[in-house]
Every structure is written in structure tokens, then in C-alpha cells.
């Protein structure tokens, strides 16, 4: 079992004349400060694919500077300091993995003002699932990270073991939503959650439905809560 590490980081984007890269299999890949050169989760299936492919885990990116690009207006534009959910990626030149712009449905994020040699012009904050390093995590349960993107980024500024669950943002309702992976009945059902700056925990408190593979809990998942839900998959 792979336990993803969700990287939360702010830095320079590695970009080309119109593209934002998140991973590379090039013999001498250019450094990517934003992703700290960590391998993207499930990278093998992405690099083996042709054309645009749906990512198994969305990437959340928030631009903090557009530099001299026209990203603010290109193809409907992006907004500074707002999280953008990116669900797809594409391999370029057989070795570079790029984010697909949800506005264009291709790899183009801007059309002027930036080149590979000037990639420091675009900066961002990112939440991206990367492959956990080493075998020491092979016995750990799966961990879903539940919360609003900014709350997660504020809570775990250096990243956290687990995988962001984009199916629900806590709002105090008893919303039923799916887990990232199929849970096993005999595994743990444990939730560690942060409410009002205090960490709490609950065992068998998330109303796990094995057949539907869903959880819910209005009391635990209140507005602004960040939760880590542990289970075997």
C-alpha cells in the first residue's frame, strides 16, 4: 500500500512559455522549487499515458504572483490568492508532467510574458500528493485529509502524510461523502480532528458505511474543521 505524502509548499513555479510542470522524468530535470522535486503520486500511470489523463488525486494550486504573464486574463483568467482545483495532467515531450488548465482543458495557462529561463516570474502555493519515501510506512492505515484547502495549508504548512479528500468540505451538516479508497471492514476507524485550535479524536465516530464506502459526522465535521481519517484500504 502506498501512503501518499500531501506536500504543502510555496515557491517558484517551474514554467515554460505557457505551461506549469509538476514532475519530470528527463535525464537532467530542471529543479522545481514549488514541488521540491518530489515524485507525484501515481506518476507511473501518468507517464505511461498519452493525451490528457484524469489524476487520481487533484492538485490544488493558489497563485501568489503572475509575474509578467497574462495569466489573469488568458482564457478566462485565474485569480490571485484563490485555490484552483486541477483534476488532469498531460505528458509533454515524453518526459515532462504538466498541469491541465481547467479553463482551457489543455496545458496552456498563459500566452505571453514568461519563458523557461524566466520561470521565477510565477509563484504559487500548492497542495499535491507525492509518493511517500521509503518502506517505513507500508504498515500504516490509509489517511484521508478532510478540510478547506486554506485550513489544511495553515494547519500543515510543511505537508502531512495522507491524501486530500475533495469530496466534502466540513460545514457542520451531516453530509455523506465517499472516501478516497475502498475501506476494509476489519481495519481501524479513527479520526483526529482540529476544532477551534484544539486537537480531538474519535474512534468509530464517522458512521462508516462499508458497502457505500462513505462517512459522515456533523459534530466532528463542523465548519473550519480539519480532520485526518484513518482506515485500512
Amino acid at each position: 500500500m502506498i501512503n501518499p505524502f500531501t506536500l504543502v509548499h510555496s515557491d517558484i513555479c517551474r514554467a515554460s512559455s505557457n505551461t506549469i510542470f509538476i514532475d519530470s522524468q528527463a535525464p537532467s530535470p530542471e529543479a522545481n522549487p514549488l514541488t521540491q522535486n518530489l515524485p507525484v503520486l501515481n506518476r507511473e500511470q501518468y507517464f505511461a499515458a498519452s493525451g490528457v489523463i484524469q489524476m487520481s488525486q487533484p492538485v490544488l494550486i493558489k497563485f501568489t504572483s503572475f509575474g509578467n504573464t497574462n495569466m489573469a486574463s488568458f482564457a478566462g483568467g485565474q485569480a490571485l490568492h484563490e485555490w484552483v482545483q486541477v483534476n488532469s495532467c498531460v505528458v509533454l515531450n515524453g518526459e515532462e508532467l504538466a498541469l491541465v488548465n481547467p479553463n482551457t482543458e489543455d496545458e496552456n495557462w498563459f500566452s505571453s510574458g514568461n519563458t523557461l529561463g524566466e520561470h521565477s516570474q510565477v509563484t504559487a502555493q500548492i497542495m499535491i500528493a507525492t509518493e511517500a519515501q521509503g518502506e517505513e510506512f507500508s504498515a500504516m492505515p490509509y489517511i484521508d485529509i478532510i478540510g478547506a484547502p486554506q485550513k489544511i495549508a495553515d494547519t500543515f504548512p510543511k505537508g502531512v502524510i495522507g491524501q486530500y479528500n475533495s469530496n466534502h468540505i466540513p460545514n457542520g451538516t451531516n453530509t455523506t461523502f465517499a472516501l478516497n479508497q475502498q475501506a476494509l471492514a476489519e481495519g481501524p476507524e479513527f479520526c483526529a480532528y482540529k476544532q477551534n485550535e484544539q486537537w480531538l479524536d474519535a474512534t468509530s465516530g464517522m458512521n462508516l458505511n462499508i458497502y457505500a464506502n462513505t462517512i459522515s459526522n456533523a459534530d466532528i465535521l463542523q465548519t473550519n474543521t480539519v480532520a485526518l481519517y484513518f482506515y485500512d484500504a
Side-chain angles (χ1 to χ4, degrees):
M1 178 175 63
I2 296 176
N3 288 278
F5 176 79
T6 295
L7 174 68
V8 179
H9 199 244
S10 300
D11 214 316
I12 298 164
C13 289
R14 185 185 163 220
S16 70
S17 59
N18 55 18
T19 303
I20 297 171
F21 299 106
I22 54 171
D23 201 348
S24 175
Q25 289 187 330
S28 300
E30 184 168 343
N32 193 332
L34 184 62
T35 62
Q36 298 186 322
N37 295 325
L38 295 176
V40 174
L41 182 69
N42 296 324
R43 69 197 305 254
E44 292 83 4
Q45 74 181 56
Y46 302 147
F47 281 109
S50 58
V52 173
I53 182 172
Q54 184 85 4
M55 301 186 75
S56 59
Q57 172 69 13
V59 172
L60 298 171
I61 189 166
K62 178 176 67 175
F63 297 101
T64 53
S65 172
F66 295 147
N68 62 347
T69 73
N70 65 341
M71 194 182 295
S73 58
F74 176 72
Q78 305 294 331
L80 280 177
H81 308 296
E82 290 186 8
W83 289 100
V84 179
Q85 181 169 314
V86 181
N87 297 314
S88 303
C89 61
V90 63
V91 177
L92 302 178
N93 304 317
E95 56 189 19
E96 305 281 7
L97 193 64
L99 291 177
V100 169
N101 184 344
N103 291 344
T104 64
E105 298 185 353
D106 59 30
E107 70 273 16
N108 299 313
W109 288 81
F110 42 84
S111 62
S112 65
N114 199 14
T115 69
L116 190 61
E118 299 170 347
H119 66 272
S120 62
Q121 298 298 319
V122 180
T123 61
Q125 186 172 19
I126 198 168
M127 283 178 50
I128 184 171
T130 64
E131 293 184 356
Q133 304 298 299
E135 299 296 327
E136 62 269 28
F137 302 123
S138 60
M140 285 182 64
Y142 214 89
I143 305 170
D144 276 20
I145 308 166
I146 305 163
Q150 191 59 52
K151 293 296 294 186
I152 296 172
D154 291 345
T155 303
F156 306 108
K158 295 183 179 180
V160 59
I161 293 293
Q163 188 173 9
Y164 172 63
N165 188 312
S166 60
N167 297 319
H168 178 62
I169 294 178
N171 59 6
T173 63
N174 203 36
T175 300
T176 298
F177 62 98
L179 294 171
N180 284 323
Q181 303 292 326
Q182 177 61 54
L184 301 179
E186 63 273 17
E189 187 194 347
F190 174 79
C191 183
Y193 58 102
K194 187 177 184 182
Q195 286 182 353
N196 301 319
E197 304 307 314
Q198 182 179 8
W199 279 101
L200 306 166
D201 61 73
T203 301
S204 300
M206 296 287 280
N207 306 313
L208 174 63
N209 184 321
I210 288 292
Y211 301 102
N213 199 44
T214 59
I215 58 174
S216 66
N217 189 299
D219 293 330
I220 291 177
L221 299 179
Q222 297 177 18
T223 302
N224 294 326
T225 293
V226 172
L228 302 178
Y229 186 74
F230 297 74
Y231 59 101
D232 279 350

